[in-house]
Amino acid sequence: MAIDDPVQPAHETEADPATPAAAGERGTTWSALRPLVLRIHFYAGLLIAPLLLVAAASGLLYALSFQAEKFLYSNELEVPVGDRSLPVGDQLAAARKAHPEGTVTAVWPSAEAGATTRVLMTTPEVEEGKSLAVFVDPYTAEVRGELASYGSSGALPLRTWLDELHRDLHLGDLGRHYSELAASWLWVVALGGLLLWLGRRRTARRDLLVPERGVKGRRKTLSWHGTVGMWAVLGLVLLSATGLTWSRYAGENIGAVQDQLGGATPVVSAALTEGAGDGGDGHEGHGDGHGGGGSHEGMTGMDIGIDNALAAARQAGIEGRLSVILPSEGSGYVVKETDTQFPVHLDSVAVDPADGRVIDELRFADYPLLAKLTRFGIDAHTGVFLGLANQLALAALAFAPIMLTVWGYRMWWLRRPTKERRLSAGRPMPRGAWRKAPVTALLPLAALTALAGWFVPLLGISLLVFLAVDLVLGLVARVRTRTAA
């Protein structure tokens, strides 16, 4: 992201960042705080930009992977449209026959003409946390193929690999620190850049949103850096916030606050009452012949079959794209809507496998507001909220910080103290900027910084490291100055 001064007066092209603020700003709170914001923005951009660059590049590839999967796995995902779909129970039986070693956990019935049914299994050869997705032709019950599947969106191998690259660089828990550190600083860099860009003097208001014309060199780069950042800042802050919700450390704090505010996501209850489904009619372990499916792993008693469970759910108003979680000992079927397109359809019901009664239901309209917003935010971050439009917006938003980082480093390079020294670099705002800030502004800022550092731990720890390094560099500079004197 930004690693240079984007707020120099419009008439200056190569001025040093230490140039005093405009005369009209002297004596204002902003003119006092500006050097401090600029120094933080400079160091954060300089040191965190590589992490943001990796996160943005991997996020760009992830956003494009949705359409790539449709092409790459078309044989598994698509089939010729037939005259009539077979019962889902027959399709389930075909998947079980092809993989008798697997334990079926859920079924995604074909949601549209020409789409396969997806049967999810846990198998020894698939690593923990993922499922084996068996793709079945709904018209012939032919097994079209098997692929590893991950997450509620059913990410297939390509998207799963890119998702893990974006999340932890394929380094497991250790790699998660990178993504959390990037998300922790993204909003700081973005909002800091916004303040600096808004506070910049300019001859025309259009230069706030549109790159300047007829300028060259560093000023041209600065203009593109500022205007693109201006357009992207809201999306970048939202990406930062939603990314932190499932981070390792900040995510725990966010979850705790959400629970305290009553915004936890509710879950439909599939627990059976005592004696339900106990097979008292003597048909223990067998289906009733309507919709098939038979008994399920870990379950005893009567089972009406997946087709009857689906029929009961549809009578309760559960329609469209569905996911069916099969019953186990002590629990019934759970039939959930999975359509995240707007308006979303995420209602769910639990069905008693013994008699097809709906034992619990949960409507998305009844979610707490905070739970709804969290769901929208996470789905938008993962590219499933608005389908293709969401994915294109994500791709554009991921491309923005890539260019902002490139422009930031270019400005840093162009502002070298001496052009002949090719290995030299731009200078940050001089130390001691915080001493010039008024106490009335500095104390609230320090309190907010401490609160943010506690709530977002990696932000607080890295900020302390930055301050420690800066302090050491300052001491070294003083020693050198005294020695030279």
Side-chain angles (χ1 to χ4, degrees):
M1 295 289 296
I3 57 175
D4 202 12
D5 177 13
V7 292
Q8 294 171 0
H11 61 276
E12 296 176 13
T13 58
E14 296 292 338
D16 187 274
T19 300
E25 292 181 323
R26 289 195 180 115
T28 66
T29 301
W30 170 242
S31 64
L33 287 178
R34 175 182 172 275
L36 179 61
V37 175
L38 179 55
R39 186 166 178 81
I40 294 174
H41 188 69
F42 175 87
Y43 271 122
L46 180 65
L47 300 175
I48 300 298
L51 301 182
L52 296 177
L53 185 61
V54 172
S58 58
L60 174 61
L61 294 175
Y62 173 82
L64 300 176
S65 67
F66 287 84
Q67 303 306 313
E69 279 193 338
K70 293 181 180 179
F71 173 77
L72 189 61
Y73 306 120
S74 59
N75 180 71
E76 288 83 4
L77 296 172
E78 301 173 2
V79 294
V81 178
D83 296 330
R84 183 179 64 87
S85 296
L86 297 174
V88 177
D90 293 349
Q91 302 172 51
L92 174 58
R96 280 194 169 124
K97 183 178 179 181
H99 291 275
E101 78 287 357
T103 300
V104 178
T105 56
V107 178
W108 296 6
S110 173
E112 56 189 15
T116 54
T117 291
R118 192 178 303 196
V119 179
L120 302 179
M121 299 180 171
T122 57
T123 61
E125 63 268 21
V126 177
E127 61 183 287
E128 186 178 357
K130 299 178 182 177
S131 301
L132 179 69
V134 181
F135 299 87
V136 183
D137 187 329
Y139 308 105
T140 65
E142 173 194 1
V143 173
R144 301 278 294 184
E146 307 85 12
L147 293 169
S149 176
Y150 173 74
S152 59
S153 65
L156 298 178
L158 173 63
R159 184 152 55 96
T160 300
W161 191 90
L162 292 172
D163 175 66
E164 292 173 350
L165 176 67
H166 179 69
R167 185 174 65 249
D168 58 21
L169 300 177
H170 295 281
L171 297 176
D173 289 340
L174 178 64
R176 290 184 65 184
H177 291 93
Y178 121 82
S179 58
E180 183 167 356
L181 191 59
S184 299
W185 277 97
L186 177 57
W187 65 276
V188 177
V189 176
L191 292 179
L194 175 65
L195 289 175
L196 294 170
W197 186 245
L198 290 176
R200 173 181 165 81
R201 280 184 53 193
R202 48 182 54 84
T203 56
R205 291 185 179 181
R206 67 179 297 277
D207 294 340
L208 182 69
L209 299 173
V210 180
E212 290 185 75
R213 298 177 181 177
V215 294
K216 298 180 180 180
R218 181 178 175 276
R219 183 169 172 180
K220 179 179 180 181
T221 304
L222 174 61
S223 180
W224 277 95
H225 180 92
T227 53
V228 171
M230 182 74 180
W231 284 103
V233 62
L234 178 59
L236 295 179
V237 171
L238 291 176
L239 281 181
S240 174
T242 53
L244 287 173
T245 57
W246 61 76
S247 62
R248 187 173 185 179
Y249 302 108
E252 293 182 1
N253 293 334
I254 294 173
V257 171
Q258 186 175 355
D259 291 344
Q260 291 176 0
L261 295 177
T265 301
V267 180
V268 67
S269 175
L272 300 175
T273 57
E274 185 176 354
D278 60 3
D281 60 359
H283 295 281
E284 185 170 326
H286 300 279
D288 64 357
H290 302 286
S295 61
H296 302 290
E297 296 86 350
M299 175 186 172
T300 59
M302 190 68 179
D303 181 7
I304 60 172
I306 190 172
D307 287 284
N308 285 331
L310 278 168
R314 289 187 172 111
Q315 287 181 355
I318 308 300
E319 298 286 352
R321 295 182 179 274
L322 303 177
S323 172
V324 184
I325 300 175
L326 301 189
S328 58
E329 187 66 32
S331 66
Y333 287 95
V334 175
V335 184
K336 303 186 296 182
E337 295 176 341
T338 60
D339 183 9
T340 54
Q341 301 286 323
F342 188 81
V344 300
H345 298 93
L346 299 173
D347 298 342
S348 58
V349 297
V351 178
D352 192 324
D355 53 19
R357 290 184 302 108
V358 173
I359 55 179
D360 190 27
E361 63 180 48
L362 176 63
R363 306 294 173 178
F364 185 71
D366 297 329
Y367 277 36
L369 176 60
L370 190 55
K372 289 180 180 178
L373 294 177
T374 300
R375 179 66 194 239
F376 291 150
I378 291 177
D379 285 352
H381 189 114
T382 55
V384 299
F385 179 40
L386 298 173
L388 180 59
N390 190 173
Q391 295 147 27
L392 292 176
L394 272 182
L397 201 54
F399 188 67
I402 294 176
M403 296 309 302
L404 291 172
T405 301
V406 172
W407 288 326
Y409 276 114
R410 174 173 169 75
M411 287 188 293
W412 181 52
W413 176 254
L414 291 176
R415 208 184 63 209
R416 303 192 305 284
T418 305
K419 294 296 179 68
E420 290 76 14
R421 295 170 55 192
R422 295 184 179 276
L423 295 180
S424 61
R427 292 171 293 180
M429 197 72 185
R431 294 182 180 86
W434 64 272
R435 299 190 189 97
K436 302 176 182 179
V439 176
T440 53
L442 190 59
L443 290 180
L445 181 61
L448 289 175
T449 302
L451 178 62
W454 170 82
F455 193 74
V456 186
L458 290 192
L459 173 65
I461 294 172
S462 58
L463 181 59
L464 290 176
V465 172
F466 287 171
L467 293 176
V469 171
D470 193 46
L471 179 61
V472 171
L473 292 177
L475 293 175
V476 170
R478 289 182 184 179
V479 171
R480 288 179 176 176
T481 301
R482 292 175 182 175
T483 302

